[in-house]
Amino acid sequence: MLREAVDSGSEIGLRAKSVMAQGQLVSDDIVIGIIRERVKAADCLKGFILDGFPRTTAQALALDEMLAATGEEVKTVLELSVPDEVLIERIGGRWIHKASGRSYHTKYNPPKSFDGKSEPTPENMRDDQTGEALTQRPDDNKDALPKRLAAYHAETVPVLGHYKSRSGCRVAQVDSNLGPTRKTEDIWADCAKALGLKREQIILMFGPPAAGKGTHGGRITAALGIPQLSTGDMLREAVDSGSEIGLRAKSVMAQGQLVSDDIVIGIIRERVKAADCLKGFILDGFPRTTAQALALDEMLTATGEEVKTVLELSVPDEVLIERIGGRWIHKASGRSYHTKYNPPKSFDGKSEPTPENMRDDQTGEALTQRPDDNKDALPKRLAAYHAETVPVLGHYKSRPGCRVAQVDSNLGPMRKTEDIWADCAKALGLKREQIILMFGPPAAGKGTHGGRITAALGIPQLSTGDMLREAVDSGSEIGLRAKSVMAQGQPGSLICLVFSQAAKVAALTLAAGEVAPQNSGRPNRQLVSDDIVIGIIRERVKAADCLKGFILDGFPRTTAQALALDEMLAATGEEVKTVLELSVPDEVLIERIGGRWIHKASGRSYHTKYNPPKSFDGKSEPTPENMRDDQTGEALTQRPDDNKDALPKRLAAYHAETVPVLGHYKSRSGCRVAQVDSNLGPTRKTEDIWADCAKALGLKA
């Protein structure tokens, strides 16, 4: 943080640089100031970990005071402990690649350049990636280490004591010593337990071959941040790892025997200790029998957990036989093809499919079929699947507190992948908690701060223009309706969307993205109605990236649209929770926008004054010849209405539209409407605006 602050040239960074230039130690108040600035950043929205700070009780008190100013406090203190003699061995063999921070060890993680026998030196200790010489810290030696460790213990004990005396603060010590029976994952499991972290999502997923478990399991993984685990993959990983349970499995398999349930449960027990399973996991196709289900339940009960959700994807057998019979796989990557629905480029669609004409698009390697992906074997496989699954589903249906759901996974003319996903999300009880409307005039910073909200909350920022283009390109039913309406416009005219049923409302052009009054005297154009726009939004927010919520950027533009949006959301038991407007004085915006130039292909934005491209000298009249993209050298462009004559009218239209919509949501109970000053200045930086946005959104670490 100190290095970042100095490099950034911030006020606190310059103070630190001045002190360091005099050879003095940076004072506690400067360090606290640096922390205060750093934790305003978007990545600290949900919280942060302070590594090795505070080192003294005085620093702890200063940190407490800083946090109290924002109504916050330290909730958890975690110490990793290792015997000193072990640390001396660990640290004494440690070598670092300074530029990247990559770490090596002469014994535990030697670089490829080291033979393990010679005396380690910069000549034979070299970074695996760059070949550059590694270095050791000057005090990573046997003489200095005992003193360093003694100092650490002397510093840490009083700080831990300070926080132990604080009510509501959890102080935990975890044994971080590795050994024959203690692996990294065991230490992590103890850390998770010490932090009070517990899996909330344990999902069983069933479905016959080709029912879509890969597609929709992958979406659940993306949405919830939990892995999809198959017993086959876990078994292979355990054998490859050489773990105790993996060696047991390997021995059984070497004898040509089936791996027993207790070994499979042991493999699952080890796998779910991993960090990626912290929030939960999806078991794909397991358990297959009631006996396995009982064994799994017993395993979970030992950690106070249980299966919360069982999801089965169902497809008629006759459909599956067609799906599976045409399926070909690229074994090395897992990429899947189908002779009818997703043929590789090498297949003409008419010949008999063979390894010669069914080849992977990326590598050109021959594809393969599973030996039992044929019409004779498939009915037997499906019958076996149904016979296994029915009793397991019955077992979990009888368990109180466990949700068992069956989702129709059959595609058809009226049923798309997104519809199946929407039903899966509903069956899993997944509901959007963050539905945010974001308003702001042109150049107010919606891109910057909307992007930060996206990064912080994991929800997408959606604009109506982008959604319309995507819907038209996708060929969906609602996209075809929009395309038909747009196609009725006059040849050569701008294609506009109007989000209103009244003549006074502004129109958004697709071609230039501009906002202008309907009666602006421009050429006649066919307008896409509100019901089509709402339909497009309804389809878009079914996507997996909208599972936790979404930000609507600049929509609704009228009270009529707001009512239509409210009605759409009410149908799924949802509502707008937050409305955020970024405000900037009009005269500032006119200066900002008048100097704005865009690289159309990438969306990169430049400004003649605040962010000029390298091609511009800052003195000449800006033109496409001297305003060129830094990366491609291509000419930049200005929007036709980014000029001093059009801008006041555009801003007046924006204010006229926004006030009634904000008023509508202010009158809604349970909806937070906030205005944030987005004007930059000598004492107001981007991080300050973001901090106010986070506060307005009710986001707190």
Side-chain angles (χ1 to χ4, degrees), residues 27-187:
S27 64
D28 286 356
D29 71 301
I30 290 179
V31 175
I32 290 291
I34 287 170
I35 295 171
R36 181 184 292 112
E37 290 304 302
R38 176 63 183 84
V39 301
K40 286 180 181 177
D43 62 345
C44 294
L45 178 64
K46 297 177 181 177
F48 53 87
I49 307 163
L50 273 180
D51 178 356
F53 184 92
R55 293 181 180 273
T56 67
T57 308
Q59 290 178 344
L61 290 167
L63 176 65
D64 293 344
E65 185 180 355
M66 180 203 97
L67 293 171
T70 51
E72 297 169 317
E73 61 182 339
V74 173
K75 297 289 181 68
T76 308
V77 179
L78 180 67
E79 188 198 15
L80 302 180
S81 77
V82 182
D84 285 4
E85 59 273 15
V86 175
L87 292 170
I88 288 170
E89 182 188 31
R90 280 192 192 178
I91 300 170
R94 184 170 62 180
W95 289 69
I96 306 292
H97 181 242
K98 198 171 181 181
S100 69
R102 283 186 289 273
S103 181
Y104 298 84
H105 193 277
T106 51
K107 180 177 178 181
Y108 301 112
N109 181 34
K112 295 172 184 174
S113 59
F114 185 59
D115 62 13
K117 301 172 184 177
S118 310
E119 182 70 19
T121 66
E123 284 66 41
N124 62 15
M125 295 291 288
R126 293 187 170 273
D127 180 51
D128 287 345
Q129 294 188 30
T130 65
E132 295 169 345
L134 304 176
T135 61
Q136 279 193 301
R137 276 182 50 169
D139 53 357
D140 273 3
N141 61 71
K142 290 186 179 181
D143 295 329
L145 280 171
K147 297 175 185 175
R148 288 173 63 196
L149 293 171
Y152 167 77
H153 297 309
E155 290 172 349
T156 305
V157 170
V159 174
L160 294 181
H162 168 75
Y163 285 107
K164 281 178 183 176
S165 68
R166 296 283 296 271
S167 63
C169 181
R170 178 194 297 114
V171 179
Q173 188 182 57
V174 169
D175 175 11
S176 189
N177 194 15
L178 295 166
T181 60
R182 188 160 175 80
K183 309 299 182 189
T184 301
E185 294 307 337
D186 298 306
I187 298 170

Side-chain angles (χ1 to χ4, degrees), residues 144-354:
L145 280 171
K147 297 175 185 175
R148 288 173 63 196
L149 293 171
Y152 167 77
H153 297 309
E155 290 172 349
T156 305
V157 170
V159 174
L160 294 181
H162 168 75
Y163 285 107
K164 281 178 183 176
S165 68
R166 296 283 296 271
S167 63
C169 181
R170 178 194 297 114
V171 179
Q173 188 182 57
V174 169
D175 175 11
S176 189
N177 194 15
L178 295 166
T181 60
R182 188 160 175 80
K183 309 299 182 189
T184 301
E185 294 307 337
D186 298 306
I187 298 170
W188 167 244
D190 286 348
C191 288
K193 185 177 178 182
L195 294 169
L197 305 174
K198 191 175 176 182
R199 285 183 282 260
E200 292 301 320
Q201 294 282 359
I202 297 177
I203 299 169
L204 305 184
M205 191 172 194
F206 295 95
K213 296 196 301 296
T215 299
H216 299 294
R219 288 188 161 200
I220 298 170
T221 288
L224 298 181
I226 61 176
Q228 183 175 3
L229 309 176
S230 77
T231 46
D233 291 341
M234 286 188 283
L235 180 62
R236 280 188 289 274
E237 289 169 6
V239 169
D240 292 343
S241 73
S243 66
E244 182 185 351
I245 196 75
L247 292 174
R248 283 181 60 197
K250 186 176 182 180
S251 172
V252 170
M253 291 158 63
Q255 298 171 46
Q257 298 174 13
L258 290 175
V259 177
S260 63
D261 286 355
D262 71 302
I263 290 179
V264 175
I265 290 292
I267 287 169
I268 295 171
R269 182 184 293 111
E270 290 304 303
R271 175 63 182 86
V272 300
K273 286 180 181 177
D276 62 343
C277 294
L278 177 64
K279 296 177 182 177
F281 53 87
I282 308 163
L283 275 180
D284 179 353
F286 184 92
R288 293 182 180 273
T289 67
T290 308
Q292 289 178 343
L294 290 167
L296 177 65
D297 295 344
E298 185 180 356
M299 181 203 98
L300 293 171
T301 300
T303 51
E305 298 170 314
E306 61 183 338
V307 173
K308 297 287 182 72
T309 307
V310 180
L311 179 68
E312 188 199 16
L313 302 181
S314 76
V315 182
D317 285 4
E318 60 273 16
V319 174
L320 291 170
I321 289 170
E322 181 188 29
R323 281 191 193 179
I324 299 169
R327 185 170 62 177
W328 289 69
I329 306 293
H330 181 242
K331 197 170 181 182
S333 68
R335 283 186 289 273
S336 181
Y337 298 85
H338 193 278
T339 51
K340 180 177 178 181
Y341 301 112
N342 181 35
K345 295 172 184 174
S346 59
F347 185 60
D348 61 13
K350 301 172 185 176
S351 310
E352 183 70 20
T354 66

Side-chain angles (χ1 to χ4, degrees), residues 547-599:
L547 178 65
K548 296 177 183 177
F550 53 88
I551 308 163
L552 275 181
D553 180 354
F555 183 91
R557 293 180 181 269
T558 69
T559 308
Q561 288 175 353
L563 290 167
L565 177 65
D566 295 344
E567 184 180 357
M568 180 203 98
L569 293 171
T572 50
E574 297 170 316
E575 61 183 339
V576 173
K577 297 288 183 70
T578 308
V579 180
L580 178 68
E581 187 198 15
L582 302 181
S583 75
V584 182
D586 285 5
E587 59 274 15
V588 174
L589 291 170
I590 289 170
E591 181 188 28
R592 279 192 194 178
I593 299 169
R596 184 169 62 178
W597 289 68
I598 305 292
H599 181 241

Side-chain angles (χ1 to χ4, degrees), residues 219 414 416-423 425 432 462 535-547 550 568 572:
R219 288 188 161 200
M414 301 296 293
K416 309 298 182 187
T417 301
E418 294 304 337
D419 298 306
I420 298 170
W421 167 245
D423 286 348
R432 286 182 281 258
L462 309 176
I536 286 169
I537 295 172
R538 181 185 294 110
E539 291 304 302
R540 175 63 182 86
V541 301
K542 286 180 182 176
D545 63 343
C546 294
L547 178 65
F550 53 88
M568 180 203 98
T572 50

